Amino acid sequence: MPAAHTPSVSPGADYRPTRRIEGRPRVFVTRRLLPETEARMAELFDVTLNPDDRALSQDEIRAAMQEAHVLVPTVTDRIDADLIASAGPQLGLIASFGAGTDHIDLAAARARKILVTNTPGVFTDDTADMTMSLIIAVSRRLAEGGRVIRSGDWAGWAPSTLLGHRISGKRLGIIGMGRIGQAVAHRARAFGLEIVYHNRQRLPEAFERMVGARYEADVDTLVREADIVTLHCPSTPETHMLMDARRIALMKPEAYLVNTARGDVVDENALIEALQSGRIGGAGLDVFAHEPKIDPRLLALGNVSLLPHMGSATFEGRTASGDKVVANIRFWADGHRPPDQVLEGWA
């Protein structure tokens, strides 16, 4: 299984140099960014912004790609082969806002000699923090407690109501030990969790000692033994529905599944059925299979903590991501290698 990783530029990479853009490059941004990022873009580029923050249609993005030198999409914009094939000859860079690249057809971009950049590393701590929040929330039934308070049905403290599980001493199974998985491991150790992980490649022994982690080569074994399973793998054909009905059935009856990665790495129907039947203890989800649509069966469940894809939603992270987008565009427009060029499809 591929590790959770972000492709990066290496010194010997096959880089396709661009010609220097004379004047201000035409930049099209698909969603509203932070004011300081947009102000900096307006200062440096001939930029078209989205002040209403309305999700654009494929036809609107297509029209933009026929005029702009640079497209700045986000992870919710699907930049597929059809869009890329219809881009104007002037489009030379897709400077994505965010670390993921599964929303962009990288092979199609390579075929058109369009460079792709992303913003790796800026959301690592934010997403790891949110992962730990969901681990605690679902284990201690925070969402259920909040609903009791808001409903007005709370009759006061009682020794046997809303009992959850302490996380100290439990076994946390991390699937995908890239930047975010490692950051979760550091945090989990402080909470007294036992850490076992699966990754495409085993990490150095020094890291394992530092966080007290044990490598498990077999995903099924990890899932079967873990009290909490947390997902930090990218969305790829290999990880599509990685947690399918068979693997969910391997989980302990009291175990929890946490997903802050991508919605399609979990078979959502199988997860819902397991939650409805009490086959597993609960789930903490920040991502969903058909965002922004949420399966109403999930909303009706009491043993889940649900968040609206807000793992990276911090001022600090979004500012840093905007800074990286601006830097990538400036390097490219000056005819240089962008610092965060994505190399998949450019080997």
Side-chain angles (χ1 to χ4, degrees), residues 290-313:
H290 305 290
E291 295 181 19
K293 295 180 180 179
I294 307 297
D295 192 306
R297 293 175 296 170
L298 277 175
L299 300 176
L301 287 167
N303 54 343
V304 294
S305 289
L306 307 176
L307 297 175
H309 201 152
M310 55 187 288
S312 65

Side-chain angles (χ1 to χ4, degrees), residues 132 136 167-170 184-194:
M132 288 305 303
I136 296 168
I167 63 173
S168 176
K170 299 299 190 295
V184 170
H186 280 288
R187 288 156 172 77
R189 186 180 191 190
F191 278 89
L193 284 152
E194 176 190 342

Side-chain angles (χ1 to χ4, degrees), residues 226-294:
D227 299 301
I228 305 162
V229 176
T230 181
L231 305 174
H232 302 288
C233 47
S235 174
T236 68
E238 292 77 19
T239 63
H240 181 70
M241 292 197 181
L242 174 74
M243 290 299 295
D244 56 12
R246 183 187 67 81
R247 283 212 172 102
I248 292 171
L250 295 177
M251 296 176 66
K252 296 178 180 180
E254 302 85 10
Y256 305 111
L257 179 65
V258 173
N259 187 13
T260 57
R262 287 290 186 268
D264 66 357
V265 302
V266 175
D267 182 336
E268 200 165 271
N269 281 321
L271 175 61
I272 292 170
E273 290 172 5
L275 292 166
Q276 288 175 328
S277 66
R279 176 64 191 79
I280 63 173
L285 306 175
D286 186 44
V287 290
F288 305 90
H290 305 290
E291 295 181 19
K293 295 180 180 179
I294 307 297

